[in-house]
């Protein structure tokens, strides 16, 4: 017997319809790429997104066509996303921080037909456009007055282009499993792999992510997504905020501490989200200026492990709750958040910080397990670590064009490539990437844990741990450190600081000081390059 409920396809543009109808006047504030702060609301954004949709259709874009965006977080970028997906075309976010060759590869793989681009990146696109034969038109996200001189054929100013139509348009209806968006994984090895989100997966994921134990968003919040829309589906903020009528404050190209602080305080932001490096810059700014964060209630930190010192500074100095989050491009992207369950509500001080170093527990729609190399489930004891596997309706079933099939097993479990343990209350903690974990004498050493501890030292700006070949133990940890400006700690000072905080056999065998640690385009430590840099290194006395 089937249920007797309506078929109401889960389509992303219905989110914006809801926002425009029930939260129509809610502010969406952007630092425009041209400079001034721009204010709009969900009603106006929906109107202009319909205009984009109508204009795209007039230009021959339709169901399944890929339309790229290379843009900062602004209201215009939102209008472009909804305009694209509202006719069944596919928004494809491009990360401008990738090497040009990678961008060319990705655009050709996706066969992007149109591109919405911010003024900042026009030069970048001019240099590569002739290597992307599928690209027919470039829409520069600006108005006529700010339109630059460009060598791009078929370049138009966004405002002129949409002015040629009106808002008298109806979204298209189609199957909820239709592709809505694409994002390529940052791919530290080999070519990037395309992740394809459906309307259904985006809607379900947004519903899961607004829950109280996740982003906890409501119409009373003002969210500033500092995480760019081109990172991992923008952590779903383009859907989760309008879904509940939460105001949005978009930082545009202003990613430095002072610019972020200005918007946080002037727009009275209550919740914000980004990777740890952004928060380091903000905290440095606050320390220098003596500024505070009176309206900010919580900060979501993920993308890489959140150092304990950041959590401590936000909570103890500025009264802002930190929520550590974990996810992946392949998971739409949110997988877990470290909000406090009743079982842990009495924790305080160091014990609470210990808990908050974990990546947390998943929402309904994310299943999780850890397995050994034989694919046997491991116990949830908070210490036995193994391969972290996930499944759910907003998790990739495969990559674009069938790449990377080895990451999916017959039961739909996706191997995240992360190594983790899960505690009896369902809190997961990442201990490493599978390819970075150090295997010493048959046992595993977590590089992330060592790094987190090392950055707690007052002279350390950044730390990375890599495995170096050892004649007896196979591999042993080398701690690589970038010091804070003007600081010059000794190796022994660093090692003394770690001693007693980790098992003896986890202690790094040596410390190396460098000026810079290499990063990927999404801000993660590029361990492959670091291993290459230290390939001729051997420990003293070996
Ligand atoms: P991406 O798809 O580029 O967002 O990368 C996903 C990967 O980032 C995950 O598989 C993890 O290795 C890493 N990651 C994300 N969030 C965290 C976190 N909170 N702690 C540790 N690693 C993280």
């Amino acid at each position: 017997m089937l249920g007797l409920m309506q078929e109401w396809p889960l389509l992303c543009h219905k989110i914006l319809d809801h926002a425009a109808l029930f939260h129509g006047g809610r502010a969406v504030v952007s630092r425009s790429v041209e400079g001034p702060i721009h204010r709009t609301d969900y009603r106006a954004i929906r109107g202009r997104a319909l205009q984009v949709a109508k204009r795209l259709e007039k230009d021959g874009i339709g169901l399944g066509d890929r339309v790229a965006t290379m843009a900062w977080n602004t209201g215009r970028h939102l209008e472009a996303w909804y305009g694209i997906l509202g006719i069944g075309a596919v928004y494809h976010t491009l990360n401008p921080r990738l090497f040009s060759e990678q961008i060319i590869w990705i655009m050709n793989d996706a066969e992007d037909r149109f591109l919405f681009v911010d003024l900042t990146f026009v030069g970048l696109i001019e240099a590569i456009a002739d290597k992307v034969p599928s690209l027919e038109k470039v829409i520069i996200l600006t108005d006529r007055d700010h339109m630059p001189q460009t060598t791009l054929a078929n370049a138009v100013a966004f405002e002129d282009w949409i002015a040629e139509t009106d808002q008298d348009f109806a979204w298209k209806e189609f199957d909820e499993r239709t592709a809505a968006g694409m994002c390529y994984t940052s791919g530290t090895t080999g070519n990037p792999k395309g992740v394809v989100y459906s309307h259904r997966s985006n809607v379900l994921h947004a519903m899961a992510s607004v829950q109280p134990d996740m982003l906890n968003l409501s119409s009373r919040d003002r969210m500033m997504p500092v995480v760019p829309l081109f990172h991992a589906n923008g952590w779903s903020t383009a859907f989760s905020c309008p879904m509940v009528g939460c105001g949005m404050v978009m930082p545009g190209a202003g990613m430095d501490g002072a610019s972020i602080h200005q918007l946080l305080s002037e727009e009275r932001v209550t919740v914000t989200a980004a990777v740890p490096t952004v928060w380091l810059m903000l905290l440095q700014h606050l320390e220098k200026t003596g500024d505070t964060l009176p309206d900010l209630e919580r900060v979501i930190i993920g993308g890489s492990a959140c150092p304990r010192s950041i959590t401590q500074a936000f909570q103890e100095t500025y009264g802002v709750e930190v929520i550590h989050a974990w996810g992946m491009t392949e998971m739409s992207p949110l997988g877990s958040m470290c909000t406090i369950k009743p079982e842990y509500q009495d924790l305080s001080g160091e014990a609470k910080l210990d808990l908050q170093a974990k990546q947390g527990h998943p929402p309904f729609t994310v299943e999780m397990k850890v397995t050994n190399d034989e694919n046997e489930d491991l116990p949830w004891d908070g210490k036995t670590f193994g391969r972290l596997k996930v499944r759910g309706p907003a998790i990739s079933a495969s990559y674009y064009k069938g790449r990377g099939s080895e990451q999916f097993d017959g039961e739909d479990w996706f191997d995240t490539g992360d190594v983790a343990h899960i505690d009896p209350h369902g809190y997961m903690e990442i201990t490493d990437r599978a390819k970075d974990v150090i295997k010493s004498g048959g046992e595993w050493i977590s590089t992330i844990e060592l790094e987190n501890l090392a950055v707690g030292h007052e002279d350390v700006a950044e730390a990375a741990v890599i495995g170096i070949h050892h004649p007896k133990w196979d591999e042993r940890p080398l701690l690589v450190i970038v010091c804070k400006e003007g600081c010059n700690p000794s190796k022994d000072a660093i090692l003394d600081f770690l001693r007693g905080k980790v098992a003896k056999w986890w202690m790094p065998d040596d410390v190396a000081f460098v000026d810079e640690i290499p990063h990927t385009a999404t801000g993660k430590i590029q361990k492959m390059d670091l291993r290459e840099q230290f390939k001729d290194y051997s420990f003293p006395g070996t």
Side-chain angles (χ1 to χ4, degrees):
M1 180 171 152
L2 292 178
L4 298 176
M5 293 294 126
Q6 298 182 4
E7 289 294 330
W8 192 85
L10 303 176
L11 298 176
C12 295
H13 36 281
K14 292 185 176 182
I15 296 175
L16 192 56
D17 287 346
H18 173 80
L21 261 177
F22 293 100
H23 307 276
R26 192 84 59 249
V28 177
V29 181
S30 310
R31 183 187 296 284
S32 68
V33 177
E34 294 87 350
I37 301 295
H38 176 265
R39 313 187 81 83
T40 181
D41 59 31
Y42 283 130
R43 197 177 296 117
I45 289 210
R46 176 177 180 271
R48 283 163 55 87
L50 282 166
Q51 233 171 315
V52 171
K54 187 170 181 178
R55 190 68 186 81
L56 281 171
E57 195 174 58
K58 196 170 155 209
D59 277 356
I61 296 290
L63 201 67
D65 285 327
R66 271 78 69 202
V67 177
T69 68
M70 185 184 278
W72 300 108
N73 291 4
T74 65
R76 276 200 189 112
H77 197 173
L78 272 188
E79 291 160 5
W81 265 39
Y82 277 97
I84 296 164
L85 60 81
I87 54 170
V90 182
Y91 65 83
H92 171 205
T93 48
L94 293 171
N95 183 346
R97 294 172 189 147
L98 293 172
F99 295 121
S100 294
E101 296 73 46
Q102 277 177 310
I103 297 173
I104 294 167
W105 190 92
I106 286 173
M107 291 184 80
N108 282 321
D109 193 58
E111 296 163 80
D112 296 323
R113 288 186 58 191
F114 278 32
L115 165 70
F116 290 88
V117 66
D118 263 335
L119 285 167
T120 327
F121 310 119
V122 171
L124 195 164
I125 296 301
E126 282 175 340
I128 66 169
D130 64 341
K131 302 201 177 64
V132 187
S134 59
L135 190 61
E136 295 164 38
K137 183 171 267 182
V138 178
I139 301 135
I140 302 180
L141 290 160
T142 192
D143 54 21
R144 185 177 303 177
D145 291 347
H146 295 89
M147 192 62 180
Q149 286 282 358
T150 173
T151 57
L152 287 167
N154 285 332
V156 285
F158 179 77
E159 296 297 336
D160 281 354
W161 178 73
I162 59 168
E164 289 165 17
T165 52
D166 53 34
Q167 304 181 357
D168 184 16
F169 188 74
W171 304 121
K172 300 290 175 211
E173 289 263 333
F174 33 77
D175 191 302
E176 63 182 17
R177 291 165 301 174
T178 304
M182 275 184 99
C183 182
Y184 280 71
T185 59
S186 38
T188 43
T189 48
N191 279 324
K193 292 179 282 240
V195 172
V196 184
Y197 308 109
S198 67
H199 281 259
R200 173 186 153 84
S201 69
N202 272 341
V203 172
L204 287 174
H205 177 266
M207 289 173 81
S209 67
V210 298
Q211 293 178 48
D213 269 323
M214 293 290 281
L215 296 172
N216 188 18
L217 290 185
S218 80
S219 59
R220 292 164 294 286
D221 279 308
R222 286 169 298 280
M223 153 67 97
M224 178 154 84
V226 183
V227 54
L229 288 173
F230 57 76
H231 273 188
N233 213 17
W235 295 11
S236 128
T237 51
F239 305 117
S240 52
C241 293
M243 178 175 273
V244 295
C246 162
M248 293 184 87
V249 181
M250 309 287 254
M255 306 290 271
D256 58 289
S259 305
I260 297 289
H261 179 261
Q262 184 198 358
L263 279 185
L264 285 175
S265 64
E266 287 177 10
E267 299 303 329
R268 306 191 58 202
V269 169
T270 57
V271 49
T272 178
V275 294
T277 38
V278 167
W279 303 125
L280 271 180
M281 283 194 292
L282 177 71
L283 290 170
Q284 278 163 11
H285 166 84
L286 297 178
E287 210 173 297
K288 209 164 68 196
T289 57
D291 284 336
T292 56
L293 301 167
D295 296 293
L296 192 62
E297 293 167 12
R298 55 199 189 281
V299 52
I300 321 292
I301 308 185
S304 50
C306 176
R308 196 183 182 91
S309 50
I310 292 189
T311 307
Q312 204 166 6
F314 269 116
Q315 293 182 168
E316 293 171 15
T317 312
Y318 301 103
V320 177
E321 183 78 8
V322 166
I323 298 164
H324 193 184
W326 167 82
M328 302 181 76
T329 306
E330 291 90 333
M331 299 180 73
S332 297
L334 301 175
S336 66
M337 292 217 180
C338 196
T339 47
I340 314 277
K341 295 187 191 181
E343 290 85 343
Y344 286 128
Q345 71 187 0
D346 295 331
L347 293 181
S348 60
E350 293 298 317
K352 185 175 174 192
L353 288 173
D354 283 345
L355 180 72
Q356 291 181 300
K358 294 177 187 258
Q359 280 72 8
H361 52 98
F364 175 65
T365 64
V366 176
E367 286 183 65
M368 229 176 229
K369 65 176 180 180
V370 278
T371 67
N372 59 17
D373 284 342
E374 284 69 52
N375 200 22
E376 294 159 345
D377 287 6
L378 294 173
W380 290 19
D381 58 7
K383 54 178 196 270
T384 309
F385 51 81
R387 290 180 164 274
L388 178 62
K389 297 187 178 166
V390 291
R391 65 178 179 185
I395 294 170
S396 295
S398 59
Y399 291 114
Y400 190 48
K401 298 183 177 163
R403 294 197 179 88
S405 54
E406 65 282 359
Q407 269 168 281
F408 304 89
D409 77 11
E411 299 164 84
D412 263 352
W413 286 98
F414 171 72
D415 187 336
T416 62
D418 285 326
V419 176
H421 52 67
I422 304 179
D423 83 2
H425 299 305
Y427 282 68
M428 179 275 289
E429 182 165 4
I430 304 270
T431 57
D432 240 311
R433 287 294 291 167
K435 58 185 174 356
D436 296 336
V437 72
I438 296 175
K439 293 179 179 127
S440 173
E443 300 286 345
W444 288 6
I445 297 176
S446 159
T447 61
I448 293 187
E449 200 168 326
L450 289 173
E451 287 157 9
N452 279 345
L453 281 172
V455 291
H457 189 286
E458 56 182 4
D459 294 341
V460 174
E462 198 174 16
V465 174
I466 51 172
I468 296 281
H469 175 72
H470 190 283
K472 180 166 176 204
W473 301 110
D474 224 4
E475 276 186 327
R476 293 292 304 155
L478 170 71
L479 173 58
V480 183
I481 277 178
V482 178
C483 295
K484 285 187 184 161
E485 231 177 279
C487 298
N488 192 15
S490 67
K491 288 183 182 182
D492 284 344
I494 302 286
L495 292 174
D496 283 346
F497 177 78
L498 296 182
R499 230 180 295 281
K501 299 188 174 84
V502 289
K504 247 196 197 139
W505 61 276
W506 278 39
M507 283 293 290
D509 280 23
D510 198 8
V511 181
F513 296 96
V514 294
D515 293 336
E516 209 184 330
I517 286 176
H519 288 95
T520 67
T522 48
K524 297 184 212 309
I525 293 175
Q526 180 69 280
K527 294 234 172 134
M528 218 173 48
D529 286 3
L530 203 59
R531 281 192 285 262
E532 179 63 23
Q533 206 173 312
F534 283 91
K535 70 176 189 310
D536 298 327
Y537 173 91
S538 53
F539 289 115
T542 58

